[in-house]
């Protein structure tokens, strides 16, 4: 049962409240300054902070500590060390120094580096990120850290994320100051809505594909799918309810503000949304949420599936990244506001985002690209692979009116007076209806809906923050020369006219949009291998390096790793298919057809003139499927051999063009056989068993 929320929330976190209680006023103030101003911790107080942290952690049952980091695998990594130290020959004491708090040196050689680090330079180091609080989980104190090579290149997702946050802070602060807003800093805020599936553990264990790849590679549709739409917001089943309660309580203790939970569209699909937090913390918390979901599910004999597309022909899972930028004085720069000045500010920031998303649509697409997300994007259940912005009719028409009017305006009156152009107050409902848009304005935030459920949200936010920061930099450069009302409006007009092609309020799932988007010159990068080469385009390398998020070599390393991840994940699936086919499906189909042949023989023996049309038909179909499937399985094996290609981009393209189509063909053959075979003879549990197993 959930205990008193207020007393448990954050109870396992070394947060400011705890720091204040445990540290002297002077030390606390210096630590708080470090956190608030994102500075480095002074060495002379590091030992004091470390000791307080250790004593607190031990009082919570911790015996170990770990630097917790986010390597380029997309998940988190940890290496546990005991607090223990020798004190003479026969005794030991609990120790944890400031040095150990601030810096760790895990062996970096087994983490992906994409060529950044040669194996002889295996060392990497982790550095404490004091802006994300340490916490106790199990018997261990977790210290959020960044992870770099010894030469200083980022080997993780947190470092570039922090750099992108700092870039947007710097540039947005410049812009708001020019608008007369008194703010010291601007922070991106993020609320990620997380979708997932739950299946029964026993059923799960019988599916090799789920166990190895996180998704089914075979499986005919269940007679009852999601057609009735009776799962969405439906009654939550008792076992799932118990899971959600424990999940919430665990997350709350860790300071994760889990708030909303409900059933999703597909059977066995659910969603959890936290209250939004600063981008850095939200990213750490989303990683924790995914990890805790898996752990808690296990305790309830369930398995939490975070893969984007666990079941074919059933809605997959995504993650909506709600994003806004807010000043330290609490002004949300994406809030339309009430006064003429606030409207103007809102329009300016809106324009910056429109330009950023248009100019860097390729980077946004890349930031959500994985082999499994390719199965969702553009599949009539998730936004298309084409990036566009939804503003809603009201907001788009007032924004476009401003820019179009100015184009045909008389030379005397070059700009419109935006102060009098009325901006409607947006009812949230009117902007939130279109679920088919990849990037939708929803009242006072944008919602990037292209992320896959298993994606780290770091990537998407890195690109979004960086792109918007780079445009705000351009804007600040212009406005620092002239920040008059007219100059601001001129800038809005110019940029909206130049980038309005990215605005689209229609049905993003429709085929007409694909044609229309092409006419507009928008990119439609359908798969991961299609989009990845764009990251190293000059304009992207220039933007990302100038704004300070990545060095050129970091971009190339990520380009390599991204391709490698794609290849490895598809090849693992191909290998798993071959195994399941050879060990499970082919022998089963052969046996079912042999049984059928025997039935025919018996019937004929009994009465030679008996018709056997049904049996003959099934026997023929199964025999054909069997031979075809065997041929496809062998073809897959041969193609996997041919996929040993050195160039990662060429390898990924080979996999996409040659291997994936054969995988689909093999799947459809086997699924065909499943439809006409008795369930009890089938070697792996059916979709029906999997999707209705959580009761
Ligand atoms: P839904 O999208 O289901 O209608 P909401 O819009 O209420 O749900 O919220 C979705 C997510 O957006 C939540 O995580 C919420 O905390 C977050 N959110 C709300 N306002 C903001 C904001 N200004 N900036 C970033 N995230 C926000
Ligand atoms: Mg939403």
């Amino acid at each position: 049962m959930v205990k008193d929320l207020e007393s448990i929330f954050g109870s396992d976190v070394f947060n400011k409240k705890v720091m204040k209680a445990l540290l002297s006023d002077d030390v606390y103030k210096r630590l708080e300054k470090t956190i608030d101003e994102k500075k480095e911790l002074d060495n002379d107080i590091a030992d004091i902070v470390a000791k307080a942290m250790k004593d607190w952690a031990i009082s919570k049952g911790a015996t170990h500590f770990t630097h917790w980091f986010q390597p380029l695998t997309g998940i988190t990594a940890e290496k546990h060390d005991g607090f223990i130290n020798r004190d003479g020959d026969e005794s030991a004491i609990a120790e944890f120094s400031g040095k150990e708090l601030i810096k760790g040196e895990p062996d970096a050689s087994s983490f992906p580096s994409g060529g950044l680090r040669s194996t002889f330079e295996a060392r990497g180091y982790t550095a404490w990120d004091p802006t994300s609080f340490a916490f106790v989980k199990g018997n261990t104190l977790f210290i959020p850290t960044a992870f770099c090579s010894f030469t200083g290149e980022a080997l993780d997702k947190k470092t570039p994320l922090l750099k992108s946050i700092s870039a947007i802070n710097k540039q947005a602060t410049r812009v708001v100051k020019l608008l007369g807003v008194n703010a010291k800093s601007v922070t991106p805020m993020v609320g990620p809505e997380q979708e997932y599936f739950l299946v029964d553990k026993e059923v799960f264990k019988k599916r090799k594909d789920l166990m190895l790849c996180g998704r089914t590679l075979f499986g005919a549709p269940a007679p009852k799918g999601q057609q009735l739409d009776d799962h969405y917001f439906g009654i939550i089943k008792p076992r799932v309810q118990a899971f959600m309660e424990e999940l919430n309580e665990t997350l709350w203790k860790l300071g994760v503000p889990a708030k909303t939970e409900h059933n999703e569209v597909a059977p066995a699909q659910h969603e959890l949304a936290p209250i939004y937090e600063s981008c850095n913390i939200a990213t750490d918390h989303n990683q924790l949420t995914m990890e805790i979901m898996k752990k808690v599910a296990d305790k309830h004999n369930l398995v939490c599936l975070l893969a984007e597309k666990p079941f074919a022909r059933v809605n997959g899972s995504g993650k909506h990244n709600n994003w806004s930028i807010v000043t330290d004085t609490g002004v949300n720069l994406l809030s339309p506001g009430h006064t003429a000045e606030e409207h103007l500010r809102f329009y300016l920031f809106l324009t910056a985002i429109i330009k950023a998303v248009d100019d860097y649509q390729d980077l946004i697409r890349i930031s959500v690209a994985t082999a499994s997300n390719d199965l969702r994007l553009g599949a009539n259940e998730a936004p298309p692979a084409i990036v566009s912005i939804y503003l809603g009719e009201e907001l788009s028409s007032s924004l476009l009116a401003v820019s179009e009017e100015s184009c045909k305006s008389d030379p005397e009156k070059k700009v419109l007076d935006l102060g009098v152009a009325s901006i409607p107050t947006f009812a949230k409902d009117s902007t939130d209806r279109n679920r088919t848009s990849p990037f939708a304005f929803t009242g006072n935030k944008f919602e990037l809906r292209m992320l896959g459920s298993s994606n780290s949200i770091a990537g998407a936010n890195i690109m979004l923050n960086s792109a918007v920061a780079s445009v705000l930099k351009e804007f600040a450069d212009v406005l620092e020369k002239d920040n008059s009302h007219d100059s601001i409006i001129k800038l809005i007009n110019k940029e909206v006219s130049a980038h309005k092609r990215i605005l689209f309020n229609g049905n993003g799932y429709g085929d007409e949009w694909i044609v229309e988007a092409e006419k507009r010159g928008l990119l439609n990068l359908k798969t991961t291998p299609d989009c990845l080469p764009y990251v190293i385009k000059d304009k992207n390398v220039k933007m990302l390096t100038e704004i300070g998020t990545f060095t050129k070599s970091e971009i190339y390393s990520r380009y390599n790793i991204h391709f490698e991840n794609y290849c490895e994940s598809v090849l693992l699936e191909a290998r798993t298919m071959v195994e399941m086919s050879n060990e499970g499906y082919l022998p089963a189909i052969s046996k079912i057809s042999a049984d059928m042949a025997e039935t025919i023989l018996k019937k004929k023996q009994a009465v030679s003139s008996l018709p056997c049309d049904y049996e003959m038909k099934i026997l023929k179909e199964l025999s054909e499927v069997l031979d075809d499937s065997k041929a496809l399985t062998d073809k897959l094996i041969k193609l996997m051999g041919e996929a040993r290609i050195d160039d990662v981009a060429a390898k990924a393209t080979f996999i996409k063009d040659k291997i994936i189509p054969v995988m689909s063909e093999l799947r459809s053959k086997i699924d065909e056989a499943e439809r006409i075979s008795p369930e009890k003879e089938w070697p792996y549990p059916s979709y029906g068993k999997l999707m209705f197993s959580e009761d």
Side-chain angles (χ1 to χ4, degrees):
M1 271 291 105
V2 178
K3 293 190 213 99
D4 172 31
L5 162 65
E6 285 178 28
S7 68
I8 65 167
F9 188 81
S11 58
D12 290 342
V13 182
F14 193 73
N15 54 24
K16 285 190 180 174
K17 204 163 83 189
V18 178
M19 292 175 200
K20 201 166 177 170
L22 297 179
L23 297 166
S24 70
D25 275 358
D26 172 54
V27 174
Y28 174 72
K29 280 207 184 97
R30 286 167 66 186
L31 180 57
E32 193 184 31
K33 204 169 147 67
T34 305
I35 296 170
D36 292 346
E37 296 176 12
K38 303 179 179 67
K39 297 261 162 60
E40 286 197 3
L41 187 68
D42 287 343
N43 275 331
D44 55 327
I45 62 163
D47 279 332
I48 305 173
V49 176
K51 182 173 181 312
M53 208 186 261
K54 177 207 69 187
D55 291 344
W56 169 84
I58 288 174
S59 79
K60 295 267 157 204
T63 52
H64 287 66
F65 70 93
T66 181
H67 277 203
W68 184 62
F69 53 104
Q70 301 173 21
L72 298 167
T73 51
I75 52 172
T76 57
E78 46 200 73
K79 175 187 163 224
H80 297 214
D81 277 306
F83 286 126
I84 189 167
N85 217 335
R86 290 308 292 261
D87 184 29
D89 278 349
E90 290 176 11
S91 50
I93 52 164
E95 249 185 16
F96 179 52
S97 67
K99 230 178 90 200
E100 285 171 304
L101 165 63
I102 295 176
K103 194 166 168 179
E105 291 188 20
D107 180 354
S109 60
S110 299
F111 291 105
S113 81
L116 271 182
R117 170 194 24 72
S118 12
T119 20
F120 61 84
E121 192 32 297
R123 289 180 311 162
Y125 69 90
T126 49
W128 182 32
D129 164 22
T131 57
S132 183
F133 298 134
F135 54 91
V136 169
K137 186 163 65 74
N139 67 353
T140 304
L141 168 70
F142 283 74
I143 302 158
T145 56
F147 178 41
C148 295
S149 76
F150 244 82
T151 41
E153 279 120 343
L155 294 173
D156 69 346
K157 299 197 176 220
K158 190 188 258 286
T159 308
L161 181 69
L162 289 172
K163 287 180 175 168
S164 76
I165 292 170
S166 142
I168 203 162
N169 170 32
K170 184 170 167 198
Q171 304 306 336
T173 309
R174 277 176 75 199
V175 173
V176 284
K177 279 196 176 137
L178 291 163
L179 300 179
V181 177
N182 187 17
K184 281 215 261 338
S185 64
V186 174
T187 309
M189 305 300 289
V190 170
E193 300 163 57
Q194 175 75 47
E195 290 180 339
Y196 60 96
F197 279 85
L198 289 177
V199 294
D200 181 81
K201 203 197 302 183
E202 293 311 310
V203 187
F204 167 89
K205 278 191 190 153
K206 295 184 184 137
R207 295 276 324 203
K208 205 170 219 168
D209 43 7
L210 278 181
M211 301 242 293
L212 293 177
C213 312
R215 74 178 186 98
T216 59
L217 301 168
F218 298 95
K224 180 181 189 305
Q226 63 189 58
Q227 296 84 351
L228 295 175
D229 275 338
D230 53 354
H231 192 257
Y232 192 52
F233 282 18
I235 294 168
I236 299 173
K237 295 170 184 164
R239 178 147 63 135
V240 176
Q241 186 65 45
F243 156 83
M244 284 178 174
E245 276 172 22
E246 186 172 344
L247 173 65
N248 282 336
E249 188 176 328
T250 315
L251 290 173
W252 289 340
K253 281 188 189 159
L254 293 168
V256 180
K259 185 169 168 67
T260 314
E261 57 200 15
H262 59 77
N263 286 353
E264 262 299 332
V265 177
Q269 192 185 30
H270 311 279
E271 177 185 299
L272 181 143
I275 299 172
Y276 67 99
E277 303 176 276
S278 83
C279 183
N280 179 31
I281 313 280
T283 306
D284 284 357
H285 280 173
N286 183 249
Q287 290 289 353
L288 263 181
T289 302
M290 292 195 284
E291 182 193 319
I292 305 275
M293 275 175 168
K294 293 194 161 176
K295 284 204 176 127
V296 174
D298 189 61
K299 284 184 163 177
H300 293 259
N301 270 323
L302 292 163
V303 177
C304 172
L305 303 176
L306 290 170
E308 282 68 19
K309 197 75 191 166
F311 306 105
R313 304 174 204 91
V314 170
N315 264 27
S317 301
K319 184 139 59 187
H320 290 176
N321 189 81
N322 294 270
W323 180 93
S324 65
I325 38 178
V326 179
T327 68
D328 58 326
T329 49
V331 178
N332 178 355
L333 299 169
L334 298 187
S335 176
H338 301 288
T339 64
E341 275 147 52
E342 288 168 352
H343 291 344
L344 186 65
R345 183 182 72 213
F346 168 62
Y347 261 133
L348 185 65
F349 278 94
L350 196 58
T351 304
I353 293 167
I354 291 169
K355 176 170 162 61
V357 173
D358 187 24
D359 281 344
Y360 302 105
Q361 45 183 286
D362 43 4
L363 291 181
I364 289 173
R365 168 67 184 95
I366 290 165
S367 76
V368 300
T370 57
S372 51
N373 210 20
D374 286 354
L375 301 166
R376 276 178 74 244
L377 296 177
N380 276 346
E381 56 170 271
I386 308 163
V387 176
S388 67
I389 299 181
Y390 173 87
L391 291 183
E393 292 301 339
E394 279 174 293
L395 180 54
S396 320
S397 51
S398 41
L399 189 63
L400 289 174
V402 174
S403 78
E404 272 154 21
E405 277 302 313
S406 76
C407 297
K408 55 182 185 203
S409 68
D410 56 296
E412 290 302 296
K413 193 168 176 284
K414 279 207 189 67
V415 288
L416 278 178
D417 185 357
L418 198 75
V420 294
S422 70
I423 296 186
T425 341
F426 303 99
K428 197 174 176 243
D429 286 347
S430 75
T431 56
D432 202 20
R433 255 182 240 131
N434 189 338
R435 311 298 288 177
T436 66
S437 173
F439 194 68
F441 182 69
T442 49
N444 63 1
K445 59 182 159 73
F446 272 99
E447 190 166 335
L448 178 61
R449 301 196 179 117
M450 299 173 84
L451 281 85
S453 46
S454 70
N455 283 162
S456 156
I457 62 168
N461 286 298
I462 289 170
M463 291 311 180
L464 196 53
N465 292 339
S466 305
V468 174
S470 81
V471 173
L472 289 173
K473 179 170 182 283
E474 278 176 45
F475 281 18
D477 291 344
V478 172
L479 299 177
E480 267 168 11
K481 292 191 191 96
D482 175 5
N483 66 340
S484 65
H485 189 254
D486 282 3
S487 153
I488 295 172
I489 288 175
K490 224 192 256 171
L491 183 63
I492 293 173
N493 289 337
K494 175 173 154 249
E495 299 299 354
V496 171
S497 309
H499 298 286
K500 65 182 177 201
R501 65 172 184 165
I502 196 84
L503 301 177
F504 177 63
N505 293 324
N507 176 13
Y509 293 1
D511 289 338
E512 317 80 60
W513 172 229
I514 298 175
V515 180
E516 165 72 15
E518 196 180 336
K519 268 194 219 145
R520 295 189 190 189
L522 297 176
L523 294 170
N524 183 5
L525 304 168
K526 292 199 189 91
T527 68
T528 301
D530 295 333
C531 69
L532 290 185
Y534 282 76
V535 78
I536 53 174
K537 277 193 177 286
D538 285 348
K539 61 136 188 141
N540 291 333
V541 173
K542 185 166 180 293
M543 185 279 279
L544 291 167
T545 52
E546 278 180 9
I547 207 69
T549 304
F550 290 114
T551 62
K552 193 170 175 183
S553 57
E554 286 170 346
I555 296 173
Y556 275 84
S557 82
R558 277 154 184 78
Y559 165 86
N560 284 323
I561 291 170
H562 212 144
F563 266 126
E564 278 162 15
N565 286 346
Y566 174 86
C567 297
E568 282 317 309
S569 63
V570 182
L571 289 175
L572 170 64
E573 292 185 349
R575 278 197 302 276
T576 308
M577 284 188 101
V578 166
E579 255 187 56
M580 289 175 78
S581 172
N582 278 335
E583 290 171 6
Y585 292 119
L586 300 185
I589 299 171
S590 161
K591 180 171 179 303
I592 298 165
S593 19
D595 289 350
M596 198 54 94
E598 217 173 278
T599 310
I600 297 171
L601 277 178
K602 277 189 190 150
K603 278 174 82 172
K604 292 273 180 204
Q605 238 167 29
V607 185
S608 65
S609 62
L610 271 186
C612 289
D613 290 356
Y614 163 74
E615 288 87 351
M616 290 298 282
K617 197 160 179 269
I618 299 276
L619 177 59
K620 187 164 176 286
E621 273 182 47
L622 286 180
S623 305
E624 278 169 15
V625 164
L626 184 60
D627 286 352
D628 290 350
S629 304
K630 172 69 180 134
L632 287 164
T633 307
D634 290 345
K635 190 168 172 191
L636 207 47
I637 296 173
K638 186 167 161 278
L639 286 168
M640 284 193 291
E642 288 169 22
R644 292 195 194 95
I645 302 168
D646 284 340
D647 180 79
V648 278
K651 182 172 177 171
T653 306
F654 179 85
I655 288 174
K656 177 195 68 150
D657 291 337
K658 303 278 186 237
I659 294 191
I660 290 182
V662 177
M663 287 167 67
S664 318
E665 248 187 287
L666 175 59
R667 176 185 186 138
S668 63
K669 286 284 166 205
I670 303 267
D671 290 359
E672 224 175 281
E674 185 180 351
R675 280 192 202 98
I676 51 169
S677 298
E679 184 162 352
K680 66 176 181 11
E681 305 285 346
W682 207 241
Y684 303 101
S686 68
Y687 267 25
K689 279 227 175 70
L690 278 167
M691 274 186 291
F692 298 95
S693 67
E694 53 170 18
D695 311 40

